[in-house]
């Protein structure tokens, strides 16, 4: 239990941390009555539309990058270096934000051994905005390659900063603590109480920020359920706990939110569409006219749908699905 005075002080510290406002906020909250009906009733369903945050179809990445780029600007950085796969939402969002802020961007990207028959859309966008692409062929090469490039740039008198994978650092995760504050204001204005939140989690920054933000801004009874599209719940939970601790250190407050992560909706693996995910994607599109993505959000929605069908969520409650974007993957882009 956090003492109200400690919470108030932590919020004051949080609000003093620099952030660039580059997205469109607050993102809407929409009711999903037809999806609910298609599931045969159950809890009232809502969606937080963070697929609409703005730049580069960046989804959840924008909130994280707003804190990361603010810190980079404070260090007078002229270049950002980050990494990911060729279709990484994080890489594309970073390239777009760097372009908007007039910074150079270097993307260390895992490429397949066989070249693509056509340029994936994400890569085409990154090239369009002038990012320098450095290919690597193994994930273990990413971090040392970023370090090497940073050293080369420093030797040329440039001022690079490295953004770790997914911007999932305590600094980046602050973006989702701020999202919790945004949600709290929206719920207050509507006199709405959300009991359970479903959200996709992978590199952990999004869930960490939201879980930390819940302790500061939301009803402490709100249950947050992370859904993994790739790694085991134990490994993501360990990362999330470390990031939450880092946020607590920044705000001088001990944060210990309950971390719940499901890993039974991964299917055959990262980036491989699952049957339940495809059904969730089609059902959400057909009932609500909302597009999910096959890699992340469809799997998270499959979890929500499964829980509703299993009667695991009380009918008299409100359940919010946090859309984190990524729809470019719908077009195998
Ligand atoms: C669309 C989408 N949703 C969810 C996530 C998961 O966010 P995080 O990596 O912060 O856990 C990602 C990033 O990997 C993503 O691109």
């Amino acid at each position: 239990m956090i003492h109200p005075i400690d919470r108030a002080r932590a919020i004051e510290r949080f609000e003093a941390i620099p952030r660039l406002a580059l997205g469109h906020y607050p993102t809407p909250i929409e009711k999903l009555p037809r999806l609910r009906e298609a599931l045969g009733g159950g809890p009232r369903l809502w969606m937080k539309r963070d697929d609409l945050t703005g730049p580069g179809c960046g989804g959840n990445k924008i909130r994280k990058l707003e804190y990361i780029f603010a810190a980079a600007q404070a260090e007078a950085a002229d270049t950002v270096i980050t990494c990911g796969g060729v279709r990484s939402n994080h890489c594309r969002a970073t390239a777009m934000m760097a372009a908007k802020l007039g910074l150079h961007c270097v993307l260390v990207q895992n490429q397949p051994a066989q070249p693509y028959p056509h340029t994936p859309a994400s890569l085409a966008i990154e090239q369009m905005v002038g990012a320098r692409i450095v290919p690597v062929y193994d994930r273990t090469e990413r971090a040392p390659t970023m370090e090497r490039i940073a050293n080369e740039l420093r030797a040329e008198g440039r001022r690079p900063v490295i953004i770790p994978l997914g911007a999932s650092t305590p600094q980046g995760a602050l973006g989702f603590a701020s999202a919790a504050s945004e949600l709290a204001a929206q719920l207050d204005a509507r006199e709405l109480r959300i009991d359970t939140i479903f959200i996709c989690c992978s590199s952990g920054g999004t869930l960490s920020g939201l879980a930390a933000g819940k302790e500061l801004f939301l009803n402490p009874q709100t249950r947050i359920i992370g859904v993994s599209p790739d790694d085991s719940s134990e490994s993501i939970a360990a990362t999330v706990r470390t990031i939450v601790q880092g946020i607590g250190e920044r705000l001088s407050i001990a944060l210990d939110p309950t971390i719940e992560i499901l890993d039974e909706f991964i299917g055959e693996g990262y980036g491989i569409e699952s049957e339940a995910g495809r059904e969730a994607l089609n059902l959400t599109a057909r009932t609500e006219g909302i597009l999910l993505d096959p890699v992340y959000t469809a799997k998270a929605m499959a979890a929500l749908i499964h829980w509703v069908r299993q009667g695991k969520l009380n009918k008299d409650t409100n359940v919010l699905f946090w859309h984190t974007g990524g729809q470019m993957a719908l077009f195998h882009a």
Side-chain angles (χ1 to χ4, degrees):
M1 196 65 183
I2 298 176
H3 193 284
I5 292 178
D6 293 337
R7 178 181 294 111
R9 287 196 183 126
I11 291 175
E12 216 171 285
R13 288 186 198 102
F14 173 67
E15 283 170 354
I17 298 174
R19 169 195 185 188
L20 301 174
L22 297 173
H24 309 300
Y25 307 117
T27 56
I29 296 179
E30 287 177 29
K31 203 169 187 177
L32 308 176
R34 284 183 28 81
L35 177 60
R36 179 184 188 220
E37 196 186 315
L39 296 177
R44 289 172 292 279
L45 301 179
W46 303 84
M47 188 182 285
K48 176 81 169 144
R49 299 291 308 271
D50 263 16
D51 53 321
L52 304 178
T53 49
C57 306
N60 62 333
K61 309 301 174 199
I62 304 303
R63 293 187 189 272
K64 296 197 257 183
L65 290 171
E66 287 173 334
Y67 280 90
I68 297 277
F69 273 85
Q73 282 197 332
E75 289 172 36
D78 59 14
T79 305
V80 290
I81 306 171
T82 197
C83 64
V86 154
R87 295 185 166 105
S88 155
N89 293 314
H90 165 69
C91 282
R92 190 181 62 254
T94 304
M96 296 293 284
M97 303 239 318
K100 191 167 172 63
L101 296 170
L103 299 178
H104 296 280
C105 176
V106 182
L107 301 173
V108 173
Q109 279 192 343
N110 283 100
Q111 310 248 342
Q114 295 292 327
Y116 288 101
H118 64 274
T119 307
S122 251
L123 180 55
I125 290 171
E126 289 152 10
Q127 287 168 340
M128 186 195 299
V129 298
R132 175 179 152 204
I133 312 291
V134 178
V136 290
Y137 298 92
D138 191 284
R139 282 173 172 231
T140 58
E141 291 176 54
R142 286 172 175 171
T145 306
M146 290 198 292
E147 283 298 340
R148 175 178 56 76
I149 292 168
N151 287 335
E152 286 168 8
L153 292 173
R154 278 186 209 108
E156 290 169 17
R158 303 259 295 275
R159 298 178 62 89
V161 294
I162 292 177
I163 305 175
L165 182 71
S168 284
T169 59
Q171 184 85 28
L174 289 173
F176 266 83
S178 141
S181 153
E182 178 183 302
L183 176 66
Q186 287 175 303
L187 298 182
D188 276 356
R190 289 178 178 227
E191 296 185 8
L192 178 64
R193 173 196 161 116
I194 291 294
D195 302 281
T196 311
I197 297 174
F198 280 77
I199 188 161
C200 180
C201 63
S202 174
S203 63
T206 301
L207 180 63
S208 311
L210 195 56
K214 180 191 87 166
E215 302 288 281
L216 298 180
F217 302 109
L218 290 168
N219 180 337
Q221 306 302 322
T222 314
R223 186 174 177 191
I224 303 178
I225 299 180
V227 185
S228 166
D230 44 26
D231 293 333
S232 72
S233 47
E234 292 77 31
S235 77
I236 299 181
T239 308
V240 167
R241 272 191 280 277
T242 307
I243 300 174
V244 168
Q245 198 187 334
I247 296 174
E249 279 160 17
R250 268 155 207 261
L251 305 181
S252 306
I253 189 169
L255 298 172
D256 190 18
T258 306
I259 305 298
E260 269 188 274
I261 299 173
L262 309 178
D263 58 10
E264 58 267 39
F265 295 89
I266 298 170
E268 285 178 46
Y270 176 73
I272 305 172
E273 220 179 310
S274 68
E275 209 175 295
R278 173 48 65 178
E279 195 230 345
L281 205 141
N282 289 341
L283 194 60
T284 308
R286 287 175 193 172
T287 55
E288 299 292 347
I290 295 174
L291 296 178
L292 300 174
D293 85 290
V295 180
Y296 297 96
T297 50
K299 291 181 179 178
M301 183 59 95
L304 182 155
I305 289 174
H306 183 75
W307 277 44
V308 172
R309 286 186 176 144
Q310 295 289 305
K312 286 188 173 188
L313 297 162
N314 187 319
K315 283 190 189 335
D316 292 324
T317 60
N318 289 297
V319 174
L320 182 132
F321 179 83
W322 203 300
H323 197 327
T324 45
Q327 293 101 324
M328 215 167 260
L330 268 177
F331 312 106
H332 303 287

